[in-house]
């Protein structure tokens, strides 16, 4: 029996595939006394294992630095919020939603703005201004023409990366520009069951740019349901500087008098589009709560 530490790169049919530092992969089960905490093990977790040949037992889970629920994944280094200038048009709201999800989960994020070859005048500059001011790096690229790819590749290099963004923005094109020939597994139709198509349901980490890429069902889909009201104000990082100065400690930065966040918006210190996104997300969470309450 040899003891190792490693990372779960796949969780499938009751087995955890654990990769060690020397890139050896062991097919592992969970040791009896760990089973109560089984629910909490997921792809991305660092674990301690005891091995026999190519098989092993997970004996312990190491502390997590962060965690996403949908897709279920731990210890992510970087979320790439993927957007395009046109087809589909750039959306400040969608970008802010995805950034907020990453922020609430304490995962560093960047904005990747694709199809800059088709950008309307001023859009790239506006994005750079809005997001770099609050500490999010923006990478304007053209996956199609290979422009800006080296910079993006350097940023993801050696990291565990999750791509987020709607279909059509060019995520597949971007991945292939960074790592030609890369094949996602879970996004593909793997079997046909009955009349419907069945895509692989598990999440896994695949080698990518010297690190890993989260290859998940519905690749690129981060689920906004993870955002809860309590986390929302802190999910907009630039609000944090002002929030302590609001008149009410329970201020939601929407309708209250003496709101320092709203004052900062009026003074042009906080971007209006960011505050509008915040209000929209808050409204969406409220509506969903009411709807769920009626069920
Ligand atoms: P995904 O759904 O996010 O994976 O997007 P795809 O990579 O499939 O790209 C969607 C469409 O956008 C395809 O028709 C691509 O050829 C096109 N596309 C991707 N990147 C660029 C780009 O940089 N410029 C232009 N003009 N089109 C692009
Ligand atoms: Zn306030």
């Amino acid at each position: 029996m040899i003891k190792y530490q490693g990372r779960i790169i796949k969780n499938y049919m009751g087995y955890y595939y654990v990769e060690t530092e020397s890139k050896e992969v062991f097919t592992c089960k969970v040791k009896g006394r760990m089973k109560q905490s089984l629910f909490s093990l997921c792809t991305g977790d660092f674990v301690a294992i005891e091995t026999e040949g190519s098989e092993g037992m997970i004996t312990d889970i190491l502390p997590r630095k962060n965690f996403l629920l949908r897709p279920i994944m731990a210890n992510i280094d970087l979320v790439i919020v993927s957007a395009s200038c046109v087809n589909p048009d750039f959306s400040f709201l969608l970008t802010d939603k995805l950034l907020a999800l990453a922020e609430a989960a304490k995962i560093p994020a960047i904005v990747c703005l694709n199809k800059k070859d088709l950008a309307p005048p001023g859009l790239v500059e506006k994005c750079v201004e809005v997001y770099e001011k609050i500490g999010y790096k923006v990478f304007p690229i053209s996956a199609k023409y290979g422009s800006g790819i080296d910079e993006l590749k350097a940023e993801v290099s050696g990291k565990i990366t999750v791509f987020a963004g709607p279909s059509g923005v060019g995520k597949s094109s971007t991945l292939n520009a960074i790592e030609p020939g890369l094949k996602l597994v879970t996004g593909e139709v793997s079997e046909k069951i009955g009349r419907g198509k069945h895509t692989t349901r598990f999440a896994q980490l695949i080698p990518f740019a010297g690190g890993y890429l989260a290859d998940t069902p519905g690749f690129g889909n981060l689920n906004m349901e993870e955002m809860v009201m309590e986390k929302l104000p802190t999910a907009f990082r630039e609000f944090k500087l002002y929030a302590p100065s609001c008149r009410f400690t329970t201020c939601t930065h929407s309708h209250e008098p003496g709101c320092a966040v709203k004052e900062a918006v009026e003074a042009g210190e906080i971007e209006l589009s960011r505050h509008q996104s915040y209000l929209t997300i808050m409204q969406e969470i409220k509506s969903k709560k009411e709807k769920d309450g009626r069920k």
Side-chain angles (χ1 to χ4, degrees), residues 243 246-248 251-254 256 258-262:
C246 292
R247 187 179 306 163
F248 303 106
C251 189
T252 63
H253 323 308
S254 52
E256 298 88 344
C259 170
V261 170
K262 280 196 296 173

Side-chain angles (χ1 to χ4, degrees), residues 87 114-118 141-145 165-174 219:
N87 299 331
N114 190 28
K115 309 193 193 184
K116 70 171 182 178
D117 50 293
L118 302 175
I141 66 162
S142 172
K144 190 170 175 178
Y145 298 104
S167 79
V169 298
K171 294 182 301 299
S172 323
S173 311
T174 305
F219 183 78

Side-chain angles (χ1 to χ4, degrees), residues 131-149:
Y131 293 108
E132 297 216 325
K133 194 166 80 177
I134 52 174
Y136 292 111
K137 281 193 206 165
V138 179
F139 291 82
I141 66 162
S142 172
K144 190 170 175 178
Y145 298 104
S147 152
I149 296 300

